[in-house]
Every structure is written in structure tokens, then in C-alpha cells.
Amino acid sequence: MTTISASTVRTSTTNSNTSTSSNSSNSSCQSLTYSSYKSYSTGNQSWSISIADLDNDNKNDIIVLNAGDNNLGIYYNQGNGTFQTPIMFQTANYPVFVGSVDLNMDNKLDLIVAQAKDNSIGLFLGLGNKSFNSRMNIPVGSYPYGIGIGDFNKDDNLDLVAVNDHANTASVLFGYSNASFKSASTLSTGSYVTAVAVADFNGDSYLDFVDTDYSSNTVSLFINYGNGSFQQRIAYPTGTNPWGIAVADFNHDNYIDVVAVNYNGNTMSVLLGNGNGTLRSQKSYATGQNPMSVAVADLNNDTHIDIVVANSGSNYLSVFRGYGNGSFTTATSLTTDSSITAVAIADLNGDGQLDIAATAQNNKTLNILFNIC
């Protein structure tokens, strides 16, 4: 069963696709060290980022959405820690989220885009040679801000859930093997739903999902009945105005936990899972100003999941190292360009260490920080 946990953030500025990454190096670092950032130019309002090997050359490439230009740019990895000038593809109006996955099982990665002002999802089916088929648009609710991906009904085809910011709904679309989808079914969310992540929260092997409700100051958990339909949401309080979300096992109990970043609270909320489809009360950690995006991974190969937060009101990322018991250190700052709006984690230079890529709205740049732990 294929699962991708997509983390997005709500803002007039960004969305970020994240998933839990692992480090292939055998040694661990007690203190993390990253290089000074290297910058590449982006377009206007670069509000979402995704990392994947799009051309099957065993090098991770970077996809950046430029909401202000209605396009996306693919930065192909040259294998030495540098990237080519981006190849551009046109989207529909106001793209705010991008993810990558093989939707039609042809061993070529495809791109999925939330097109907010078009009320649609855009699909770019990959040809494996740095090109894509013409974009297909799938209608969803009003102002989709984030997309989660997984096989919700165990038919071995990938399904989608889009969270619709202006409709306060989630649209669930069941997929066929040819990357087409059934008409969406609709679930009610909290107010101004902004982000979504997919995981099994109750250990029944069926995928559930959790979203952020910006104006409700909650995350909402939707448990799968086991047939691809979902229970009504269970809401859990967060800080003020949660925007970004990610999921992972933070305390080694084999249960899925949640982290949400709270834009106007300048905090992140960690909610540990009980393994039975419920979450514990939040524990709060101070971030930088106006956090908008979050990514999770074991950055220093100590087997504990760490957290990286993009602070749109600061010129730095906040890094929280995990203790492995569900708690985290206070934040360490990594200097970036100003107004970081999206963040993702992967090995970008082939050394087995996990690096960080982030988009900076004010400078119109993509920042890359290499792990030299």
C-alpha cells in the first residue's frame, strides 16, 4: 500500500509538501551543522515546494510553485549539489500546493497541484524524460489549499483528499489506475481548513487524515471506516491560527503523532497519538515569527524524528531536535533569506545526509542548506 503524507500550510502565500525522510548515513551527530544557504531565483510568491527524483537519475530534484505567476519550476539536480535553471510549466489560476507521486503506476512520477482560484486540482502526468503530458484539471471545492495522497479504500490505486479553504470542506477523490478519479465526496471540516496529512491513526491498516482549521484553532482528525468513507471530524485545540501540518512517530511507540505550526501564535503544537484514533492534548514550543510550513525527518541519524519550521516573519528556519520520547529541544536557528514560506527535506547532494530546501517570498529565492553534520 502506497502512502504519502502531505503537509501544507494556509496563507495567501504558501503551501509545503513534506514527508518523513530517513538518513542513510551510519553515524549520528549530537549537534546539527548546516552550511550557509545557497540561493536560486524563483518567480513571484513561491509558496510551495516538493522534492523528488523526477527523471529517474537517482538525484533528487526540486519543484517550486510560483503562485503569483501561475506556474511551477522544476530544478533538476546536477548531482554535485547544484541545480539547473528551472524548466517552467503553466498551471491554472493561483497554484498553492504541489506534490509528486506515481498516480498511474507507470514508474514515472507525476505532479499534483492545488489551483486555489480555479477550484481545481491540476495533474501533470510524467513521461520520465523531463517532460509531462498536458495538464488535466479536476474540479474540487472552493479554494483548495492542500492535498493528501493515499490508498483510502485498499484497491491499490492512489486516492486524493483536497482541503477547500473557502468551503470549509474536504473533497475525497477515489482514483483509478489510469490517474482518473471518481467525482468527489465531501466532508465538513473546521473553519478555513488549510492543510492535510495522511496516515493510519488507529492501527487498522486503513488510512485516515488530519487537517488544520485556521480560524477554528484546531486540527481535525478523520477516521476511515474501512471502506473509504470517514467518520465526522474530531477536533483538537492548537495554538492561534494553525497553518502547516506534518505527521510522524515522535516517541517510538509505533503510533502516528501530529505537529502543526500556528501562524499568529508563533508556536508549534505537538499532539501525540494514542494509537486508537485519538490524540493527546497539545504541547507547545516557541518558533520564530509567523510560522507557515513544517517538515519532519531524522536529520542527525539518531533514530529520533526532528522538526524544521519555516518562519515567514523571520529570516531563519527553526530546527527542533527530537529526544525520541515525544519532546523536543528548544529551537536552533538556521539563517535564510527573509520570509521563508515553505520547507522540505531530502538528500540533495548524494552524501547520505538530509539537506533542507526552502522558498523565500521576499527575495524570490530558493534557499538550499546542506547538512555537514
Side-chain angles (χ1 to χ4, degrees):
M1 179 173 61
T2 304
T3 306
I4 292 181
S5 296
S7 169
T8 62
V9 296
R10 188 261 190 196
T11 172
S12 55
T13 56
T14 184
N15 280 320
S16 170
N17 176 62
T18 63
S19 59
T20 304
S21 301
S22 61
N23 191 333
S24 60
S25 174
N26 291 322
S27 61
S28 65
C29 295
Q30 295 304 310
S31 60
L32 281 167
T33 305
Y34 277 83
S35 66
S36 298
Y37 64 90
K38 183 173 184 177
S39 289
Y40 294 82
S41 295
T42 67
N44 291 297
Q45 298 175 327
S46 53
W47 294 345
S48 180
I49 189 170
S50 183
I51 299 175
D53 178 9
L54 295 176
D55 54 353
N56 294 315
D57 64 353
N58 297 314
K59 304 178 187 71
N60 280 317
D61 311 305
I62 301 174
I63 309 103
V64 172
L65 271 188
N66 302 302
D69 299 325
N70 295 332
N71 65 28
L72 63 85
I74 300 176
Y75 299 73
Y76 283 100
N77 195 329
Q78 300 187 107
N80 57 356
T82 63
F83 292 81
Q84 298 176 14
T85 300
I87 299 174
M88 310 306 296
F89 295 87
Q90 201 70 21
T91 67
N93 197 7
Y94 209 65
V96 292
F97 169 90
V98 62
S100 53
V101 68
D102 181 6
L103 284 173
N104 55 354
M105 296 181 287
D106 63 354
N107 296 314
K108 298 166 186 172
L109 287 178
D110 312 307
L111 300 179
I112 304 172
V113 178
Q115 301 168 143
K117 292 185 179 179
D118 193 59
N119 300 332
S120 70
I121 294 172
L123 300 183
F124 296 80
L125 298 183
L127 299 175
N129 58 357
K130 298 186 179 180
S131 62
F132 294 82
N133 283 324
S134 297
R135 185 186 76 247
M136 299 182 293
N137 294 332
I138 301 172
V140 289
S142 178
Y143 233 75
Y145 247 99
I147 302 169
I149 308 164
D151 181 3
F152 293 128
N153 57 355
K154 287 193 174 183
D155 64 354
D156 294 322
N157 298 316
L158 286 175
D159 311 309
L160 306 178
V161 55
V163 290
N164 306 304
D165 183 77
H166 289 187
N168 300 331
T169 61
S171 299
V172 180
L173 301 96
F174 292 100
Y176 299 107
S177 60
N178 62 354
S180 63
F181 293 86
K182 300 177 186 178
S183 298
S185 58
T186 302
L187 300 167
S188 294
T189 65
S191 181
Y192 288 97
V193 61
T194 57
V196 62
V198 174
D200 177 6
F201 284 92
N202 61 352
D204 65 355
S205 78
Y206 287 92
L207 291 176
D208 315 302
F209 68 89
V210 61
D211 70 39
T212 48
D213 308 311
Y214 171 78
S215 292
S216 298
N217 298 330
T218 58
V219 296
S220 292
L221 184 57
F222 293 82
I223 299 298
N224 194 330
Y225 278 120
N227 57 3
S229 63
F230 294 85
Q231 299 176 22
Q232 291 184 345
R233 74 183 185 104
I234 307 169
Y236 295 88
T238 62
T240 304
N241 302 137
W243 284 17
I245 195 167
V247 294
D249 179 6
F250 296 138
N251 58 351
H252 298 286
D253 62 358
N254 295 316
Y255 303 148
I256 295 296
D257 309 310
V258 176
V259 57
V261 291
N262 306 303
Y263 181 83
N264 282 316
N266 299 325
T267 60
M268 72 175 188
S269 299
V270 175
L271 300 92
L272 299 180
N274 293 313
N276 60 357
T278 64
L279 301 174
R280 303 178 202 175
S281 298
Q282 65 167 317
K283 183 174 182 180
S284 183
Y285 295 82
T287 64
Q289 290 291 311
N290 306 129
M292 296 172 63
S293 179
V294 59
V296 294
D298 178 7
L299 296 175
N300 58 348
N301 204 41
D302 63 355
T303 75
H304 308 323
I305 295 295
D306 310 304
I307 298 174
V308 182
V309 174
N311 303 300
S312 68
S314 306
N315 64 338
Y316 58 85
L317 298 162
S318 296
V319 179
F320 299 83
R321 287 187 293 120
Y323 287 119
N325 60 359
S327 63
F328 295 84
T329 63
T330 55
T332 300
S333 298
L334 296 176
T335 301
T336 60
D337 284 332
S338 65
S339 189
I340 294 293
T341 51
V343 62
I345 299 169
D347 179 6
L348 296 174
N349 59 356
D351 66 354
Q353 304 285 356
L354 291 178
D355 310 307
I356 299 172
T359 52
Q361 175 185 251
N362 288 352
N363 296 81
K364 298 181 183 178
T365 55
L366 165 66
N367 289 184
I368 297 175
L369 298 88
F370 292 106
N371 189 337
I372 54 177
C373 176

